Amino acid sequence: GAGAAKRAAELEADRKVWDAVPMRSGRFMDELAARLSEHAIIFDEALTSSPALTRHMPPSQPGHFFQNRGGSLGVGFPGAIGVKLANPGKPVIAFSGDGGSMYTIQALWTAARHGVDVKFVVCNNASYQYLQWNITQYWKETGVAPHPYPLSFDLSYPALRFDAMARSMGVQSVRVEQPSEIAGAIAAMLSHDG
């Protein structure tokens, strides 16, 4: 049907930028999907990367896919810890955008301190992209001419190093910048007990 054709076109669009740098999230999601157990639980707060996540890992089992409800930011990482505590025998992977993760980044410390085996992925585009889309729509609806976004919508300076923040809170981490680094990072993530 139309849904299948749309998904196929989106997957093809992902493949056209497969080797792009800066990386697009589709390739990471595809490589992870190929390695995930059917019992894996996803907590999706990836926001601007959520379409790629669900395109490559479509939710198919009740109780195996959780999302943010209501538009607030920062629920992804602590929410995934709660999901893991409720499902101790299943792998749980939390996705958050860089902006959303900054709201509750201390959840990494909580996971390390209490030995909660959740895998965390920060989809980093160095901006509050979702907010940019919202304000662009608001400007359009209210007749405001497009202009530069407020400084608070940008996360590029100073550069946020989520890998360093995670390590400082006791969480093993790796920064993936090149498509060739994806497979090794996924293998390390999935094999690590922690």
Side-chain angles (χ1 to χ4, degrees), residues 134-155:
N134 285 341
I135 201 167
T136 298
Q137 182 62 32
Y138 173 76
W139 289 341
K140 183 178 176 182
E141 291 173 5
T142 59
V144 174
H147 57 280
Y149 296 110
L151 180 60
S152 59
F153 284 29
D154 174 71
L155 294 173

Side-chain angles (χ1 to χ4, degrees), residues 5 15-16 29 31 39 48 65 73 81 92 101 120 126 142-143 146 160 166 177 179 181 188 191:
R15 283 176 178 58
K16 287 181 180 176
M29 302 305 179
E31 291 193 36
H39 304 293
T48 56
F65 184 82
L73 291 174
I81 291 171
V92 175
S101 71
F120 300 99
T142 59
L160 296 170
E177 295 180 340
E181 299 168 339
S191 66

Side-chain angles (χ1 to χ4, degrees), residues 65-87:
F65 184 82
F66 294 84
Q67 284 183 297
N68 169 345
R69 309 268 292 173
S72 62
L73 291 174
V75 70
F77 288 175
I81 291 171
V83 167
K84 179 63 177 183
L85 294 174
N87 296 275

Side-chain angles (χ1 to χ4, degrees), residues 160-168 171-175:
L160 296 170
R161 289 299 306 241
F162 293 97
D163 56 328
M165 283 188 262
R167 279 192 299 278
S168 76
V171 174
Q172 286 192 13
S173 63
V174 63
R175 182 179 176 96

